[in-house]
Structures are given as C-alpha cells and as structure tokens.
C-alpha cells in the first residue's frame, strides 16, 4: 500500500529542487540543439527507476525549418488512482544568449556568473518544476492519476516543437499545465496570435554615380512604405477604435555595394493581435503600403519596381473560460500553497497556443523567471519553489485534499 494518504500535504524538498534547476540551467541547449538537456532529463529519470518504455520522443524536429537534434520528449505514467489524465509541460530550449551560463546563487536569486550571458531560467525553471514533480512521485511512491509529462523543443523560434507535437502519444489528457512565466500566482488563460510576413522588394539596378536616375531603389520603396505605416499608426502599437494589436519589422537585408542602386531587399515582419480579423487587417495594411510605395516610384524611363508579399500563421490566439476545469484546478493548487491566483492574458506566444489549437485546454503558470532574454535574467528562488509545490500538487491531484 502507498505510504502517502490522500489527505496529507506532500512537500517539495527545497534543496533537491534547487540543485536540480541549477544543474539544468548550466546545460547548453538553444533551439534545435536540445540533445544534451534531453539526455540529462532522461538520465535523472532512469536514476529514479522510471522504466525505459515510459520515455518516448516524437519527430517534431524533422518537420522544423531548422532541423534539430531532438523531438519533443514525452513520458506517460498509468494512474494509481482514478481520475482524468493530466499533462505537465515546459520547453527545453533557451535563447542563444543563455549558452555558456554558469548559475550562481546570490541571496534570494540565481544569476549567471558572467554578465555576458543570460541564465536560461526561461524555461529550465519550468523543465525543473515538472521534472521535480515526476521524480518526487517516483522516489516517494506517491499516488497519482494518469499522467503525461512533455518537454517541448524549439519554443523560442515560434512554438515550432509544439506545433508539430505527436498528439497521439499524449494519452488524451483532459487538463494541461504549462510552466513558463514569472510569478507563481499566475494563471495565464489566453494569449495573442502572431502572423509572420515575408516581403521581397525588386527594384532596378543602375550605377549609383553615373546614372542613378536609371535605377529604382528597393531601399527607397521600403523606406516610403515603412514611413507610411508608421505615420498612419500601423507599425508598433496598433490601436484602431476598439481593436488593438502590434506589428514589427524585425529583419531587413539587401544590397551588396554602395555604387549600385539597390536592386532588391527582403523584410521579415510580424503582426500580433488577440483578434484574428484585426491581425489580418494589419497584414492587409502592410501589403497595401508596400504596393503603393512600389507603384509610386519610377525611373527615368517610367519603369517601376515590384513587391511580393507572403503572410503565414505562426500561432493563433486563444482564451479559455474561467470555468474551464484546468483553470479551476490550477487555481485550487495555487490557493493551497497560501497565495491568491491571478488570471491574466499574455501578449506573447506560449506553447499553450498550439496545445489549445490541438484540442487540449492548457493553462500556463509562473516559475520564477525574471528579465528573460537579457543578461540581467535571474531566477527568483521563492517563486520557483512555490511553483515546484504547485506542480507536485497538480501531478498528485491533491490540490483540494
């Protein structure tokens, strides 16, 4: 018989939880290079006695535009108590700035030793929360409902891993909990959608000194279009009546010499909004501005440049009902730790975006990350440990006991 009773409050071993997250943050693993961190997690699970047959990997990386070393890692456990299957998840990859991080503890925070690297709390803290829950269950023989754990790949480059997740391997979870955020009281029930844009501008080359009038500069076409978008409120924070969103031109590349009127230029941009129709409106305004600019410029022979415009969905927006069982269950777990849950909606993308699109209600919870994607990144120890306790409550279904 299991040594734990259902009315006992299972406690996290703080020392072990901190040692675990420190080890995981020190392992390099930017998007597409998650092989080492996946191997480290597997090693921890094998050491705890998890049968090999419980660990599988999908082939999401083979569908990624960058390839990659590993697919999403999935662990499934049969339940020892009755209840719907629950899934706990986080992403393994970090941004490139985290490679080389050496985590060190300073007071109530963990920093990177070097001021030239980020820490990788995003999202090794989340990886550690769910791994700690699984290890604790295995080591202490804690009763639990059917469980699935998933460590995703390539989140940082546009939710690529979860987009191509082999959902048939998950065991049909009814509630999903994703750790990727700051404060442990956070219950994120929705997030914005994001569409990408690829804009190719074809100008007309000419000698920039001898006959500049024979050319049409792709740079000028781009500049005029961008100025138009900015002046009319379609670039940056976009607010039109009751609708809001954002857009950004993030990458511009073109030209090879200063003595040639630039013949071509490419732009990568994005548009975000919680409202899919308004997001499409932003895309339409971008296309219109670049077409208008190309049409307005002629060379001395009356010839014009041209543009090609392509848009694509990175991930769609979502919003769960506050009465959704996953939302209510997460709130109960947070309340049991003595803190008040705070519902919020994210303006960035989360793996939850695609999980909901796949048909799995998913809430995202905080795990102590702070100043992510910067060299000032830290892990707030108290928030991380609270998250570990919340994770263990949810994995053991003891949030209301």
């Amino acid at each position: 018989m299991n040594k734990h009773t259902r009315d006992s409050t299972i406690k996290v071993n703080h020392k072990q939880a901190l040692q675990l997250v420190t080890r995981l943050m020190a392992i390099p693993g930017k998007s597409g290079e998650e092989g080492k961190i996946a191997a480290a997690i597997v090693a921890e699970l094998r050491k705890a006695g998890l049968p090999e047959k419980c660990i599988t990997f999908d082939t999401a990386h083979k569908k990624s535009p960058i390839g990659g070393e590993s697919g999403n890692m999935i662990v499934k456990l049969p339940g020892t108590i009755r209840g719907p299957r629950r899934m706990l998840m986080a992403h393994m990859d970090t941004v490139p700035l985290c490679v080389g991080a050496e985590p060190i503890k300073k007071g109530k925070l963990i920093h990177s030793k070097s001021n030239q690297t980020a820490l990788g709390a995003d999202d090794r803290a989340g990886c550690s929360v769910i791994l700690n829950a699984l290890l604790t269950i295995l080591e202490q023989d804690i009763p639990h409902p059917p469980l699935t754990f998933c460590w995703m790949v390539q989140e940082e480059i546009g939710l690529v891993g979860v987009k191509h997740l082999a959902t048939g391997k998950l065991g049909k979870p009814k509630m999903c909990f994703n750790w990727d955020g700051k404060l442990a009281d956070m219950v994120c029930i929705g997030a914005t959608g994001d569409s990408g844009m690829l804009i190719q501008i074809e100008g007309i080359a000419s000698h920039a000194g001898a006959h500049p009038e024979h050319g049409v500069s792709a740079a000028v076409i781009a500049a005029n279009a961008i100025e138009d978008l900015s002046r009319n409120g379609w670039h940056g924070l976009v607010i039109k009546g009751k609708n809001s969103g954002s857009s950004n031109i993030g990458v511009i590349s073109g030209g090879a010499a200063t003595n040639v009127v630039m013949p071509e230029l490419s732009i990568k941009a994005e548009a975000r909004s919680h409202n899919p129709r308004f997001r499409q409106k932003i895309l339409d305004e971008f296309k219109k501005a670049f077409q208008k600019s190309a049409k307005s410029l002629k060379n001395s022979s009356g010839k014009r440049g041209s543009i090609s415009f392509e848009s694509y969905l990175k991930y769609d927006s979502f919003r769960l009902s506050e009465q959704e069982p996953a939302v209510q269950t997460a709130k109960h777990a947070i309340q049991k730790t003595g803190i008040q849950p705070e519902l919020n909606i994210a303006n960035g993308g989360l793996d939850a975006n695609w999980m909901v699109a796949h048909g799995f209600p998913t809430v995202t919870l905080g795990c102590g990350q702070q100043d992510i994607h910067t060299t000032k990144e830290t892990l707030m120890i108290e928030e991380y440990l609270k998250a570990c306790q919340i994770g263990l409550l949810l994995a053991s279904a003891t949030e209301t006991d």
Side-chain angles (χ1 to χ4, degrees):
M1 186 173 178
N2 290 317
K3 58 188 176 182
H4 291 274
T5 61
R6 294 302 296 167
D7 60 355
S8 64
T9 299
I10 305 155
K11 296 292 186 182
V12 168
N13 183 315
H14 287 189
K15 182 178 179 181
Q16 289 183 8
L18 281 175
Q19 289 174 339
L20 182 63
V21 73
T22 302
R23 286 199 301 274
L24 295 193
M25 288 191 296
I27 299 170
K30 66 181 182 180
S31 303
E33 297 180 7
E34 297 94 344
K36 289 182 180 178
I37 183 64
I41 294 171
V42 169
E44 294 281 353
L45 294 173
R46 286 176 176 165
K47 187 169 65 174
L50 183 72
E52 182 78 26
K53 65 181 181 180
C54 294
I55 305 172
T56 60
F57 287 84
D58 69 11
T59 57
H61 59 304
K62 294 184 179 180
K63 300 173 184 176
S64 166
I66 68 167
E69 297 174 347
S70 172
N72 301 303
M73 178 180 171
I74 302 164
V75 172
K76 269 196 326 187
L77 295 182
T80 61
I81 60 173
R82 283 184 168 276
R85 180 173 290 274
R86 300 179 175 200
M87 178 166 154
L88 284 69
M89 56 183 280
H91 68 87
M92 291 189 285
D93 61 316
T94 68
V95 294
L97 192 60
C98 300
V99 175
E102 296 179 63
I104 57 171
K105 183 176 178 292
K106 292 182 180 178
K108 296 182 179 182
L109 301 173
I110 296 179
H111 298 252
S112 175
K113 183 177 180 181
S114 169
N115 62 9
Q116 300 301 306
T117 64
L119 179 64
D122 175 18
D123 188 26
R124 298 301 169 74
C127 290
S128 301
V129 165
I130 68 172
L131 179 56
N132 183 76
L134 178 49
L135 293 174
T136 304
I137 284 171
L138 294 173
E139 292 164 357
Q140 298 186 26
D141 193 23
I142 297 170
H144 59 84
L147 294 173
T148 301
F149 295 81
C150 192
W151 288 268
M152 303 291 186
V153 296
Q154 300 188 30
E155 187 267 0
E156 297 289 4
I157 57 170
L159 317 183
V160 173
V162 69
K163 178 180 180 179
H164 299 295
L165 175 65
T167 57
K169 294 179 179 289
L170 302 180
K172 299 180 180 179
K174 300 301 182 185
M175 294 185 286
C176 300
F177 307 98
N178 176 45
W179 276 268
D180 190 8
K182 187 175 181 179
L183 300 179
D185 66 1
M186 180 187 85
V187 182
C188 183
I189 63 172
T192 192
D194 188 354
S195 293
M197 290 175 270
L198 300 174
I199 306 166
Q200 186 68 33
I201 302 174
E202 298 294 335
I204 299 173
S206 67
H207 194 293
H211 292 289
E213 72 279 7
H214 291 174
V216 173
S217 172
V220 174
I221 293 175
N224 288 349
I226 295 168
E227 192 278 334
D228 186 336
L229 290 165
S230 179
R231 176 166 38 83
N232 289 296
W234 293 105
H235 187 267
L237 178 62
V238 182
I239 300 176
K240 300 291 182 180
K242 295 181 179 180
N243 295 308
S244 64
S246 66
S247 69
N248 184 55
I249 293 173
V251 180
I252 298 178
S253 57
T258 61
N259 62 352
V260 179
V261 172
M262 187 185 292
E264 59 184 18
L265 181 148
S266 62
I267 290 174
K268 294 181 181 179
E270 69 169 27
R272 300 188 186 212
S273 178
H274 293 274
N275 182 335
R277 290 185 178 180
F278 188 62
R279 190 168 67 247
Q280 183 61 51
K281 176 64 174 173
I282 297 173
L283 298 177
D284 292 342
E285 290 295 329
F286 263 70
K287 183 176 182 179
K288 185 168 70 174
F290 279 90
Q291 288 177 332
K292 176 183 173 183
S293 179
K295 188 176 180 179
S296 69
L297 290 174
K298 302 177 185 178
N299 68 3
S300 56
S301 300
K303 295 180 179 178
R304 300 181 175 90
S306 63
I307 73 145
S308 65
F309 183 95
E310 177 187 346
S311 63
Y312 58 96
L313 178 67
K314 292 183 182 179
Y315 46 85
D316 213 342
S317 55
F318 78 97
R319 183 162 186 168
L320 300 177
S321 164
E322 293 184 21
Q323 303 309 311
E324 178 69 44
V327 176
Q328 290 297 313
T329 301
K331 288 174 65 177
H332 289 318
I334 292 170
Q335 288 167 339
K336 190 168 183 181
T337 65
I339 52 181
Q340 187 61 33
E342 292 288 337
L343 300 185
N344 74 9
I345 306 293
N347 284 323
L350 301 162
D351 276 343
N353 287 68
W354 273 108
M355 287 299 295
V356 172
H358 290 321
F360 302 98
T362 304
V363 297
T364 299
L365 306 168
C367 50
Q369 307 167 5
Q370 185 169 238
D371 297 322
I372 64 171
H373 300 186
T374 76
T375 57
K376 295 181 180 180
E377 183 183 15
T378 59
L379 177 68
M380 296 181 286
I381 293 172
E382 290 184 9
E383 295 299 314
Y384 164 70
L385 293 174
K386 289 176 186 175
C388 286
Q389 185 64 39
I390 292 164
L392 187 54
L393 290 171
L394 289 170
S396 58
T398 54
E399 68 279 347
T400 57
D401 289 353

